[in-house]
Amino acid sequence: MVTSSLYECRVMHCRLKPKRHAFNYRVFMFCIDLDHLPKLDKKLFGFSHNHFNFFSINDCDHIDMGAVGGIRGNLISWLISQGIACPDDAKIYLVTFPRVFGYGFNPISFYYIDSNIGQPIAAVAEVVNTFREMKLYVIQNYGSDGYWHRRIVKNFYVSPFTDPGIEFDFKLGKPEELWHVNIDDYELDERVLLSSVRGERRQLTSKRLMWYTLKYPLLSLKIIGLIHWHALLLWIGKVPFFRKNERYEAQLDVMRPHSDLNQNLP
């Protein structure tokens, strides 16, 4: 990982239980060196940081611990709260969806933290639900296979068709020429939902961004639209669902909690 770039990706979701339901779609994501983020809008036509444009990345869409230093400063503050020291000269890359014409929805973003000589320190998955609530999961086990691994209880309301108390199984590849991510849901020892992202690196240029306004029109609306469309199909198929006001005890350490959740916290 030597520079900011783009990834053209295919996203796949496959629900295994209680009914099989699968779909996939094409998207693109930014991979941004957070040290370079404030300068990119001066170099790229069609891109801005914290301002309206064809595409933008806004600090308010990501972790906010009240720290200075934008996304980077707030992520480092959160890592410290998790007992993880992050060197001042660490390289931090954010892989995320942009806002498109000012509207954005990031169901998941990824942070990759390396030392200044490229040694892996940690990865973080930043998950956001349709209530705009956020939860972060830190992953420190970097395997000999070149992937970050962690299995952890969700404790987060991601989908009405999945109990928030089951487990995520993360397998995150580093963003290199090819980028692979798998996030499976486990109920006890049984996989019930498979999710993956497969991406190919593309150069981040003004010309490519202008092409992507045509190739991926209204990307953010496409993502949120597909989420609701397939939720409707599952509901029509009578797949059991959990309401947001159920299972409060399995919704823990949630950032930006919805007012309904706030009212029911101990």
Side-chain angles (χ1 to χ4, degrees), residues 143-167:
S144 59
D145 59 356
Y147 284 83
W148 293 96
H149 295 269
R150 188 177 188 188
R151 186 164 162 181
I152 184 174
V153 178
K154 282 185 179 184
N155 285 331
F156 190 45
Y157 186 87
V158 179
S159 164
F161 301 97
T162 304
D163 187 323
I166 68 174
E167 295 182 315

mmCIF file with all atom_site columns, all heavy atoms in Angstrom, residues 143-167:
data_model
loop_
_atom_site.group_PDB
_atom_site.id
_atom_site.type_symbol
_atom_site.label_atom_id
_atom_site.label_alt_id
_atom_site.label_comp_id
_atom_site.label_asym_id
_atom_site.label_entity_id
_atom_site.label_seq_id
_atom_site.pdbx_PDB_ins_code
_atom_site.Cartn_x
_atom_site.Cartn_y
_atom_site.Cartn_z
_atom_site.occupancy
_atom_site.B_iso_or_equiv
_atom_site.pdbx_formal_charge
_atom_site.auth_seq_id
_atom_site.auth_comp_id
_atom_site.auth_asym_id
_atom_site.auth_atom_id
_atom_site.pdbx_PDB_model_num
ATOM 1   N N   . GLY A 1 143 ? -2.667  -13.215 10.101 1.00 0.00 ? 143 GLY A N   1
ATOM 2   C CA  . GLY A 1 143 ? -2.244  -14.586 9.885  1.00 0.00 ? 143 GLY A CA  1
ATOM 3   C C   . GLY A 1 143 ? -1.147  -14.725 8.849  1.00 0.00 ? 143 GLY A C   1
ATOM 4   O O   . GLY A 1 143 ? -0.868  -13.816 8.054  1.00 0.00 ? 143 GLY A O   1
ATOM 5   N N   . SER A 1 144 ? -0.537  -15.904 8.820  1.00 0.00 ? 144 SER A N   1
ATOM 6   C CA  . SER A 1 144 ? 0.500   -16.204 7.826  1.00 0.00 ? 144 SER A CA  1
ATOM 7   C C   . SER A 1 144 ? -0.063  -16.245 6.410  1.00 0.00 ? 144 SER A C   1
ATOM 8   O O   . SER A 1 144 ? 0.697   -16.196 5.435  1.00 0.00 ? 144 SER A O   1
ATOM 9   C CB  . SER A 1 144 ? 1.165   -17.542 8.160  1.00 0.00 ? 144 SER A CB  1
ATOM 10  O OG  . SER A 1 144 ? 0.194   -18.594 8.183  1.00 0.00 ? 144 SER A OG  1
ATOM 11  N N   . ASP A 1 145 ? -1.399  -16.307 6.283  1.00 0.00 ? 145 ASP A N   1
ATOM 12  C CA  . ASP A 1 145 ? -2.038  -16.287 4.973  1.00 0.00 ? 145 ASP A CA  1
ATOM 13  C C   . ASP A 1 145 ? -2.197  -14.880 4.421  1.00 0.00 ? 145 ASP A C   1
ATOM 14  O O   . ASP A 1 145 ? -2.720  -14.685 3.315  1.00 0.00 ? 145 ASP A O   1
ATOM 15  C CB  . ASP A 1 145 ? -3.402  -16.983 5.023  1.00 0.00 ? 145 ASP A CB  1
ATOM 16  C CG  . ASP A 1 145 ? -4.357  -16.336 6.031  1.00 0.00 ? 145 ASP A CG  1
ATOM 17  O OD1 . ASP A 1 145 ? -3.947  -15.403 6.750  1.00 0.00 ? 145 ASP A OD1 1
ATOM 18  O OD2 . ASP A 1 145 ? -5.531  -16.775 6.103  1.00 0.00 ? 145 ASP A OD2 1
ATOM 19  N N   . GLY A 1 146 ? -1.755  -13.859 5.205  1.00 0.00 ? 146 GLY A N   1
ATOM 20  C CA  . GLY A 1 146 ? -1.859  -12.479 4.742  1.00 0.00 ? 146 GLY A CA  1
ATOM 21  C C   . GLY A 1 146 ? -3.215  -11.852 4.973  1.00 0.00 ? 146 GLY A C   1
ATOM 22  O O   . GLY A 1 146 ? -3.515  -10.804 4.385  1.00 0.00 ? 146 GLY A O   1
ATOM 23  N N   . TYR A 1 147 ? -4.032  -12.442 5.842  1.00 0.00 ? 147 TYR A N   1
ATOM 24  C CA  . TYR A 1 147 ? -5.357  -11.915 6.157  1.00 0.00 ? 147 TYR A CA  1
ATOM 25  C C   . TYR A 1 147 ? -5.448  -11.596 7.650  1.00 0.00 ? 147 TYR A C   1
ATOM 26  O O   . TYR A 1 147 ? -4.828  -12.266 8.486  1.00 0.00 ? 147 TYR A O   1
ATOM 27  C CB  . TYR A 1 147 ? -6.451  -12.933 5.800  1.00 0.00 ? 147 TYR A CB  1
ATOM 28  C CG  . TYR A 1 147 ? -6.739  -13.044 4.328  1.00 0.00 ? 147 TYR A CG  1
ATOM 29  C CD1 . TYR A 1 147 ? -5.948  -13.841 3.505  1.00 0.00 ? 147 TYR A CD1 1
ATOM 30  C CD2 . TYR A 1 147 ? -7.804  -12.362 3.744  1.00 0.00 ? 147 TYR A CD2 1
ATOM 31  C CE1 . TYR A 1 147 ? -6.207  -13.949 2.146  1.00 0.00 ? 147 TYR A CE1 1
ATOM 32  C CE2 . TYR A 1 147 ? -8.079  -12.468 2.395  1.00 0.00 ? 147 TYR A CE2 1
ATOM 33  C CZ  . TYR A 1 147 ? -7.274  -13.263 1.597  1.00 0.00 ? 147 TYR A CZ  1
ATOM 34  O OH  . TYR A 1 147 ? -7.521  -13.364 0.259  1.00 0.00 ? 147 TYR A OH  1
ATOM 35  N N   . TRP A 1 148 ? -6.261  -10.594 7.944  1.00 0.00 ? 148 TRP A N   1
ATOM 36  C CA  . TRP A 1 148 ? -6.631  -10.303 9.326  1.00 0.00 ? 148 TRP A CA  1
ATOM 37  C C   . TRP A 1 148 ? -7.813  -11.183 9.704  1.00 0.00 ? 148 TRP A C   1
ATOM 38  O O   . TRP A 1 148 ? -8.793  -11.268 8.955  1.00 0.00 ? 148 TRP A O   1
ATOM 39  C CB  . TRP A 1 148 ? -7.036  -8.837  9.468  1.00 0.00 ? 148 TRP A CB  1
ATOM 40  C CG  . TRP A 1 148 ? -5.911  -7.862  9.253  1.00 0.00 ? 148 TRP A CG  1
ATOM 41  C CD1 . TRP A 1 148 ? -5.598  -7.205  8.096  1.00 0.00 ? 148 TRP A CD1 1
ATOM 42  C CD2 . TRP A 1 148 ? -4.956  -7.441  10.225 1.00 0.00 ? 148 TRP A CD2 1
ATOM 43  N NE1 . TRP A 1 148 ? -4.510  -6.395  8.289  1.00 0.00 ? 148 TRP A NE1 1
ATOM 44  C CE2 . TRP A 1 148 ? -4.089  -6.516  9.584  1.00 0.00 ? 148 TRP A CE2 1
ATOM 45  C CE3 . TRP A 1 148 ? -4.745  -7.749  11.565 1.00 0.00 ? 148 TRP A CE3 1
ATOM 46  C CZ2 . TRP A 1 148 ? -3.036  -5.902  10.247 1.00 0.00 ? 148 TRP A CZ2 1
ATOM 47  C CZ3 . TRP A 1 148 ? -3.700  -7.137  12.229 1.00 0.00 ? 148 TRP A CZ3 1
ATOM 48  C CH2 . TRP A 1 148 ? -2.854  -6.222  11.570 1.00 0.00 ? 148 TRP A CH2 1
ATOM 49  N N   . HIS A 1 149 ? -7.764  -11.806 10.899 1.00 0.00 ? 149 HIS A N   1
ATOM 50  C CA  . HIS A 1 149 ? -8.812  -12.743 11.315 1.00 0.00 ? 149 HIS A CA  1
ATOM 51  C C   . HIS A 1 149 ? -9.356  -12.357 12.696 1.00 0.00 ? 149 HIS A C   1
ATOM 52  O O   . HIS A 1 149 ? -8.586  -12.061 13.615 1.00 0.00 ? 149 HIS A O   1
ATOM 53  C CB  . HIS A 1 149 ? -8.253  -14.163 11.417 1.00 0.00 ? 149 HIS A CB  1
ATOM 54  C CG  . HIS A 1 149 ? -7.811  -14.749 10.119 1.00 0.00 ? 149 HIS A CG  1
ATOM 55  N ND1 . HIS A 1 149 ? -8.639  -15.481 9.307  1.00 0.00 ? 149 HIS A ND1 1
ATOM 56  C CD2 . HIS A 1 149 ? -6.603  -14.702 9.481  1.00 0.00 ? 149 HIS A CD2 1
ATOM 57  C CE1 . HIS A 1 149 ? -7.973  -15.881 8.232  1.00 0.00 ? 149 HIS A CE1 1
ATOM 58  N NE2 . HIS A 1 149 ? -6.737  -15.411 8.312  1.00 0.00 ? 149 HIS A NE2 1
ATOM 59  N N   . ARG A 1 150 ? -10.667 -12.412 12.826 1.00 0.00 ? 150 ARG A N   1
ATOM 60  C CA  . ARG A 1 150 ? -11.274 -12.345 14.157 1.00 0.00 ? 150 ARG A CA  1
ATOM 61  C C   . ARG A 1 150 ? -12.726 -12.815 14.081 1.00 0.00 ? 150 ARG A C   1
ATOM 62  O O   . ARG A 1 150 ? -13.465 -12.455 13.162 1.00 0.00 ? 150 ARG A O   1
ATOM 63  C CB  . ARG A 1 150 ? -11.253 -10.928 14.728 1.00 0.00 ? 150 ARG A CB  1
ATOM 64  C CG  . ARG A 1 150 ? -11.717 -10.918 16.197 1.00 0.00 ? 150 ARG A CG  1
ATOM 65  C CD  . ARG A 1 150 ? -11.655 -9.559  16.838 1.00 0.00 ? 150 ARG A CD  1
ATOM 66  N NE  . ARG A 1 150 ? -11.932 -9.664  18.271 1.00 0.00 ? 150 ARG A NE  1
ATOM 67  C CZ  . ARG A 1 150 ? -12.093 -8.620  19.082 1.00 0.00 ? 150 ARG A CZ  1
ATOM 68  N NH1 . ARG A 1 150 ? -11.970 -7.385  18.612 1.00 0.00 ? 150 ARG A NH1 1
ATOM 69  N NH2 . ARG A 1 150 ? -12.354 -8.815  20.354 1.00 0.00 ? 150 ARG A NH2 1
ATOM 70  N N   . ARG A 1 151 ? -13.121 -13.614 15.069 1.00 0.00 ? 151 ARG A N   1
ATOM 71  C CA  . ARG A 1 151 ? -14.529 -13.990 15.247 1.00 0.00 ? 151 ARG A CA  1
ATOM 72  C C   . ARG A 1 151 ? -14.998 -13.373 16.554 1.00 0.00 ? 151 ARG A C   1
ATOM 73  O O   . ARG A 1 151 ? -14.380 -13.578 17.602 1.00 0.00 ? 151 ARG A O   1
ATOM 74  C CB  . ARG A 1 151 ? -14.673 -15.511 15.263 1.00 0.00 ? 151 ARG A CB  1
ATOM 75  C CG  . ARG A 1 151 ? -16.120 -15.975 15.309 1.00 0.00 ? 151 ARG A CG  1
ATOM 76  C CD  . ARG A 1 151 ? -16.224 -17.435 14.938 1.00 0.00 ? 151 ARG A CD  1
ATOM 77  N NE  . ARG A 1 151 ? -17.471 -18.016 15.362 1.00 0.00 ? 151 ARG A NE  1
ATOM 78  C CZ  . ARG A 1 151 ? -17.818 -19.281 15.174 1.00 0.00 ? 151 ARG A CZ  1
ATOM 79  N NH1 . ARG A 1 151 ? -16.985 -20.109 14.551 1.00 0.00 ? 151 ARG A NH1 1
ATOM 80  N NH2 . ARG A 1 151 ? -18.973 -19.742 15.594 1.00 0.00 ? 151 ARG A NH2 1
ATOM 81  N N   . ILE A 1 152 ? -16.108 -12.628 16.489 1.00 0.00 ? 152 ILE A N   1
ATOM 82  C CA  . ILE A 1 152 ? -16.546 -11.827 17.634 1.00 0.00 ? 152 ILE A CA  1
ATOM 83  C C   . ILE A 1 152 ? -18.060 -11.677 17.604 1.00 0.00 ? 152 ILE A C   1
ATOM 84  O O   . ILE A 1 152 ? -18.671 -11.620 16.527 1.00 0.00 ? 152 ILE A O   1
ATOM 85  C CB  . ILE A 1 152 ? -15.859 -10.435 17.605 1.00 0.00 ? 152 ILE A CB  1
ATOM 86  C CG1 . ILE A 1 152 ? -16.221 -9.611  18.831 1.00 0.00 ? 152 ILE A CG1 1
ATOM 87  C CG2 . ILE A 1 152 ? -16.166 -9.696  16.314 1.00 0.00 ? 152 ILE A CG2 1
ATOM 88  C CD1 . ILE A 1 152 ? -15.468 -8.294  18.933 1.00 0.00 ? 152 ILE A CD1 1
ATOM 89  N N   . VAL A 1 153 ? -18.671 -11.618 18.786 1.00 0.00 ? 153 VAL A N   1
ATOM 90  C CA  . VAL A 1 153 ? -20.121 -11.385 18.870 1.00 0.00 ? 153 VAL A CA  1
ATOM 91  C C   . VAL A 1 153 ? -20.435 -9.996  18.302 1.00 0.00 ? 153 VAL A C   1
ATOM 92  O O   . VAL A 1 153 ? -19.750 -9.016  18.598 1.00 0.00 ? 153 VAL A O   1
ATOM 93  C CB  . VAL A 1 153 ? -20.604 -11.484 20.326 1.00 0.00 ? 153 VAL A CB  1
ATOM 94  C CG1 . VAL A 1 153 ? -22.100 -11.188 20.403 1.00 0.00 ? 153 VAL A CG1 1
ATOM 95  C CG2 . VAL A 1 153 ? -20.313 -12.872 20.888 1.00 0.00 ? 153 VAL A CG2 1
ATOM 96  N N   . LYS A 1 154 ? -21.465 -9.914  17.478 1.00 0.00 ? 154 LYS A N   1
ATOM 97  C CA  . LYS A 1 154 ? -21.835 -8.635  16.859 1.00 0.00 ? 154 LYS A CA  1
ATOM 98  C C   . LYS A 1 154 ? -22.211 -7.587  17.896 1.00 0.00 ? 154 LYS A C   1
ATOM 99  O O   . LYS A 1 154 ? -21.720 -6.453  17.873 1.00 0.00 ? 154 LYS A O   1
ATOM 100 C CB  . LYS A 1 154 ? -23.049 -8.831  15.934 1.00 0.00 ? 154 LYS A CB  1
ATOM 101 C CG  . LYS A 1 154 ? -22.770 -9.434  14.598 1.00 0.00 ? 154 LYS A CG  1
ATOM 102 C CD  . LYS A 1 154 ? -24.082 -9.412  13.799 1.00 0.00 ? 154 LYS A CD  1
ATOM 103 C CE  . LYS A 1 154 ? -23.905 -9.967  12.420 1.00 0.00 ? 154 LYS A CE  1
ATOM 104 N NZ  . LYS A 1 154 ? -25.153 -9.852  11.626 1.00 0.00 ? 154 LYS A NZ  1
ATOM 105 N N   . ASN A 1 155 ? -23.170 -7.931  18.741 1.00 0.00 ? 155 ASN A N   1
ATOM 106 C CA  . ASN A 1 155 ? -23.749 -6.968  19.687 1.00 0.00 ? 155 ASN A CA  1
ATOM 107 C C   . ASN A 1 155 ? -24.144 -5.682  18.978 1.00 0.00 ? 155 ASN A C   1
ATOM 108 O O   . ASN A 1 155 ? -23.900 -4.573  19.459 1.00 0.00 ? 155 ASN A O   1
ATOM 109 C CB  . ASN A 1 155 ? -22.781 -6.678  20.840 1.00 0.00 ? 155 ASN A CB  1
ATOM 110 C CG  . ASN A 1 155 ? -22.729 -7.823  21.833 1.00 0.00 ? 155 ASN A CG  1
ATOM 111 O OD1 . ASN A 1 155 ? -23.708 -8.551  22.008 1.00 0.00 ? 155 ASN A OD1 1
ATOM 112 N ND2 . ASN A 1 155 ? -21.591 -7.998  22.468 1.00 0.00 ? 155 ASN A ND2 1
ATOM 113 N N   . PHE A 1 156 ? -24.781 -5.843  17.836 1.00 0.00 ? 156 PHE A N   1
ATOM 114 C CA  . PHE A 1 156 ? -25.145 -4.706  17.001 1.00 0.00 ? 156 PHE A CA  1
ATOM 115 C C   . PHE A 1 156 ? -26.293 -5.111  16.093 1.00 0.00 ? 156 PHE A C   1
ATOM 116 O O   . PHE A 1 156 ? -26.309 -6.225  15.563 1.00 0.00 ? 156 PHE A O   1
ATOM 117 C CB  . PHE A 1 156 ? -23.931 -4.265  16.184 1.00 0.00 ? 156 PHE A CB  1
ATOM 118 C CG  . PHE A 1 156 ? -24.090 -2.956  15.454 1.00 0.00 ? 156 PHE A CG  1
ATOM 119 C CD1 . PHE A 1 156 ? -24.641 -1.851  16.071 1.00 0.00 ? 156 PHE A CD1 1
ATOM 120 C CD2 . PHE A 1 156 ? -23.655 -2.825  14.131 1.00 0.00 ? 156 PHE A CD2 1
ATOM 121 C CE1 . PHE A 1 156 ? -24.761 -0.645  15.402 1.00 0.00 ? 156 PHE A CE1 1
ATOM 122 C CE2 . PHE A 1 156 ? -23.771 -1.630  13.456 1.00 0.00 ? 156 PHE A CE2 1
ATOM 123 C CZ  . PHE A 1 156 ? -24.329 -0.528  14.100 1.00 0.00 ? 156 PHE A CZ  1
ATOM 124 N N   . TYR A 1 157 ? -27.241 -4.203  15.912 1.00 0.00 ? 157 TYR A N   1
ATOM 125 C CA  . TYR A 1 157 ? -28.408 -4.457  15.074 1.00 0.00 ? 157 TYR A CA  1
ATOM 126 C C   . TYR A 1 157 ? -28.056 -4.056  13.640 1.00 0.00 ? 157 TYR A C   1
ATOM 127 O O   . TYR A 1 157 ? -28.126 -2.891  13.266 1.00 0.00 ? 157 TYR A O   1
ATOM 128 C CB  . TYR A 1 157 ? -29.596 -3.653  15.593 1.00 0.00 ? 157 TYR A CB  1
ATOM 129 C CG  . TYR A 1 157 ? -30.915 -3.923  14.909 1.00 0.00 ? 157 TYR A CG  1
ATOM 130 C CD1 . TYR A 1 157 ? -31.742 -4.951  15.344 1.00 0.00 ? 157 TYR A CD1 1
ATOM 131 C CD2 . TYR A 1 157 ? -31.354 -3.135  13.853 1.00 0.00 ? 157 TYR A CD2 1
ATOM 132 C CE1 . TYR A 1 157 ? -32.971 -5.193  14.741 1.00 0.00 ? 157 TYR A CE1 1
ATOM 133 C CE2 . TYR A 1 157 ? -32.579 -3.363  13.244 1.00 0.00 ? 157 TYR A CE2 1
ATOM 134 C CZ  . TYR A 1 157 ? -33.382 -4.400  13.686 1.00 0.00 ? 157 TYR A CZ  1
ATOM 135 O OH  . TYR A 1 157 ? -34.601 -4.627  13.086 1.00 0.00 ? 157 TYR A OH  1
ATOM 136 N N   . VAL A 1 158 ? -27.648 -5.036  12.850 1.00 0.00 ? 158 VAL A N   1
ATOM 137 C CA  . VAL A 1 158 ? -27.243 -4.769  11.471 1.00 0.00 ? 158 VAL A CA  1
ATOM 138 C C   . VAL A 1 158 ? -28.400 -4.985  10.513 1.00 0.00 ? 158 VAL A C   1
ATOM 139 O O   . VAL A 1 158 ? -28.657 -4.175  9.620  1.00 0.00 ? 158 VAL A O   1
ATOM 140 C CB  . VAL A 1 158 ? -26.053 -5.655  11.078 1.00 0.00 ? 158 VAL A CB  1
ATOM 141 C CG1 . VAL A 1 158 ? -25.643 -5.399  9.627  1.00 0.00 ? 158 VAL A CG1 1
ATOM 142 C CG2 . VAL A 1 158 ? -24.865 -5.400  12.001 1.00 0.00 ? 158 VAL A CG2 1
ATOM 143 N N   . SER A 1 159 ? -29.109 -6.092  10.684 1.00 0.00 ? 159 SER A N   1
ATOM 144 C CA  . SER A 1 159 ? -30.213 -6.454  9.802  1.00 0.00 ? 159 SER A CA  1
ATOM 145 C C   . SER A 1 159 ? -31.393 -6.933  10.641 1.00 0.00 ? 159 SER A C   1
ATOM 146 O O   . SER A 1 159 ? -31.191 -7.643  11.627 1.00 0.00 ? 159 SER A O   1
ATOM 147 C CB  . SER A 1 159 ? -29.788 -7.570  8.847  1.00 0.00 ? 159 SER A CB  1
ATOM 148 O OG  . SER A 1 159 ? -30.913 -8.183  8.238  1.00 0.00 ? 159 SER A OG  1
ATOM 149 N N   . PRO A 1 160 ? -32.621 -6.574  10.255 1.00 0.00 ? 160 PRO A N   1
ATOM 150 C CA  . PRO A 1 160 ? -33.779 -7.082  11.001 1.00 0.00 ? 160 PRO A CA  1
ATOM 151 C C   . PRO A 1 160 ? -33.946 -8.593  10.873 1.00 0.00 ? 160 PRO A C   1
ATOM 152 O O   . PRO A 1 160 ? -34.700 -9.189  11.642 1.00 0.00 ? 160 PRO A O   1
ATOM 153 C CB  . PRO A 1 160 ? -34.959 -6.338  10.364 1.00 0.00 ? 160 PRO A CB  1
ATOM 154 C CG  . PRO A 1 160 ? -34.482 -5.916  9.025  1.00 0.00 ? 160 PRO A CG  1
ATOM 155 C CD  . PRO A 1 160 ? -33.010 -5.657  9.173  1.00 0.00 ? 160 PRO A CD  1
ATOM 156 N N   . PHE A 1 161 ? -33.227 -9.209  9.942  1.00 0.00 ? 161 PHE A N   1
ATOM 157 C CA  . PHE A 1 161 ? -33.379 -10.643 9.721  1.00 0.00 ? 161 PHE A CA  1
ATOM 158 C C   . PHE A 1 161 ? -32.236 -11.446 10.346 1.00 0.00 ? 161 PHE A C   1
ATOM 159 O O   . PHE A 1 161 ? -32.086 -12.640 10.062 1.00 0.00 ? 161 PHE A O   1
ATOM 160 C CB  . PHE A 1 161 ? -33.473 -10.925 8.213  1.00 0.00 ? 161 PHE A CB  1
ATOM 161 C CG  . PHE A 1 161 ? -34.617 -10.212 7.571  1.00 0.00 ? 161 PHE A CG  1
ATOM 162 C CD1 . PHE A 1 161 ? -34.417 -9.005  6.922  1.00 0.00 ? 161 PHE A CD1 1
ATOM 163 C CD2 . PHE A 1 161 ? -35.909 -10.710 7.661  1.00 0.00 ? 161 PHE A CD2 1
ATOM 164 C CE1 . PHE A 1 161 ? -35.481 -8.319  6.349  1.00 0.00 ? 161 PHE A CE1 1
ATOM 165 C CE2 . PHE A 1 161 ? -36.978 -10.031 7.096  1.00 0.00 ? 161 PHE A CE2 1
ATOM 166 C CZ  . PHE A 1 161 ? -36.763 -8.834  6.436  1.00 0.00 ? 161 PHE A CZ  1
ATOM 167 N N   . THR A 1 162 ? -31.462 -10.785 11.199 1.00 0.00 ? 162 THR A N   1
ATOM 168 C CA  . THR A 1 162 ? -30.346 -11.452 11.867 1.00 0.00 ? 162 THR A CA  1
ATOM 169 C C   . THR A 1 162 ? -30.311 -11.037 13.329 1.00 0.00 ? 162 THR A C   1
ATOM 170 O O   . THR A 1 162 ? -30.320 -9.839  13.635 1.00 0.00 ? 162 THR A O   1
ATOM 171 C CB  . THR A 1 162 ? -29.006 -11.083 11.198 1.00 0.00 ? 162 THR A CB  1
ATOM 172 O OG1 . THR A 1 162 ? -29.066 -11.401 9.803  1.00 0.00 ? 162 THR A OG1 1
ATOM 173 C CG2 . THR A 1 162 ? -27.866 -11.862 11.832 1.00 0.00 ? 162 THR A CG2 1
ATOM 174 N N   . ASP A 1 163 ? -30.250 -11.999 14.230 1.00 0.00 ? 163 ASP A N   1
ATOM 175 C CA  . ASP A 1 163 ? -30.164 -11.715 15.655 1.00 0.00 ? 163 ASP A CA  1
ATOM 176 C C   . ASP A 1 163 ? -28.882 -10.927 15.937 1.00 0.00 ? 163 ASP A C   1
ATOM 177 O O   . ASP A 1 163 ? -27.788 -11.347 15.535 1.00 0.00 ? 163 ASP A O   1
ATOM 178 C CB  . ASP A 1 163 ? -30.138 -13.038 16.418 1.00 0.00 ? 163 ASP A CB  1
ATOM 179 C CG  . ASP A 1 163 ? -30.231 -12.865 17.930 1.00 0.00 ? 163 ASP A CG  1
ATOM 180 O OD1 . ASP A 1 163 ? -29.653 -11.901 18.448 1.00 0.00 ? 163 ASP A OD1 1
ATOM 181 O OD2 . ASP A 1 163 ? -30.872 -13.706 18.578 1.00 0.00 ? 163 ASP A OD2 1
ATOM 182 N N   . PRO A 1 164 ? -28.972 -9.787  16.632 1.00 0.00 ? 164 PRO A N   1
ATOM 183 C CA  . PRO A 1 164 ? -27.760 -9.010  16.925 1.00 0.00 ? 164 PRO A CA  1
ATOM 184 C C   . PRO A 1 164 ? -26.791 -9.703  17.860 1.00 0.00 ? 164 PRO A C   1
ATOM 185 O O   . PRO A 1 164 ? -25.655 -9.235  18.025 1.00 0.00 ? 164 PRO A O   1
ATOM 186 C CB  . PRO A 1 164 ? -28.308 -7.729  17.559 1.00 0.00 ? 164 PRO A CB  1
ATOM 187 C CG  . PRO A 1 164 ? -29.660 -8.092  18.078 1.00 0.00 ? 164 PRO A CG  1
ATOM 188 C CD  . PRO A 1 164 ? -30.192 -9.128  17.129 1.00 0.00 ? 164 PRO A CD  1
ATOM 189 N N   . GLY A 1 165 ? -27.200 -10.821 18.443 1.00 0.00 ? 165 GLY A N   1
ATOM 190 C CA  . GLY A 1 165 ? -26.323 -11.523 19.371 1.00 0.00 ? 165 GLY A CA  1
ATOM 191 C C   . GLY A 1 165 ? -25.489 -12.632 18.755 1.00 0.00 ? 165 GLY A C   1
ATOM 192 O O   . GLY A 1 165 ? -24.743 -13.302 19.475 1.00 0.00 ? 165 GLY A O   1
ATOM 193 N N   . ILE A 1 166 ? -25.594 -12.836 17.423 1.00 0.00 ? 166 ILE A N   1
ATOM 194 C CA  . ILE A 1 166 ? -24.756 -13.870 16.812 1.00 0.00 ? 166 ILE A CA  1
ATOM 195 C C   . ILE A 1 166 ? -23.378 -13.281 16.494 1.00 0.00 ? 166 ILE A C   1
ATOM 196 O O   . ILE A 1 166 ? -23.078 -12.144 16.858 1.00 0.00 ? 166 ILE A O   1
ATOM 197 C CB  . ILE A 1 166 ? -25.426 -14.489 15.570 1.00 0.00 ? 166 ILE A CB  1
ATOM 198 C CG1 . ILE A 1 166 ? -25.528 -13.479 14.424 1.00 0.00 ? 166 ILE A CG1 1
ATOM 199 C CG2 . ILE A 1 166 ? -26.801 -15.026 15.930 1.00 0.00 ? 166 ILE A CG2 1
ATOM 200 C CD1 . ILE A 1 166 ? -26.042 -14.092 13.133 1.00 0.00 ? 166 ILE A CD1 1
ATOM 201 N N   . GLU A 1 167 ? -22.523 -14.040 15.800 1.00 0.00 ? 167 GLU A N   1
ATOM 202 C CA  . GLU A 1 167 ? -21.120 -13.648 15.657 1.00 0.00 ? 167 GLU A CA  1
ATOM 203 C C   . GLU A 1 167 ? -20.757 -13.251 14.233 1.00 0.00 ? 167 GLU A C   1
ATOM 204 O O   . GLU A 1 167 ? -21.275 -13.812 13.261 1.00 0.00 ? 167 GLU A O   1
ATOM 205 C CB  . GLU A 1 167 ? -20.206 -14.804 16.084 1.00 0.00 ? 167 GLU A CB  1
ATOM 206 C CG  . GLU A 1 167 ? -20.309 -15.157 17.552 1.00 0.00 ? 167 GLU A CG  1
ATOM 207 C CD  . GLU A 1 167 ? -19.361 -16.279 17.933 1.00 0.00 ? 167 GLU A CD  1
ATOM 208 O OE1 . GLU A 1 167 ? -19.288 -17.277 17.188 1.00 0.00 ? 167 GLU A OE1 1
ATOM 209 O OE2 . GLU A 1 167 ? -18.688 -16.148 18.971 1.00 0.00 ? 167 GLU A OE2 1
#
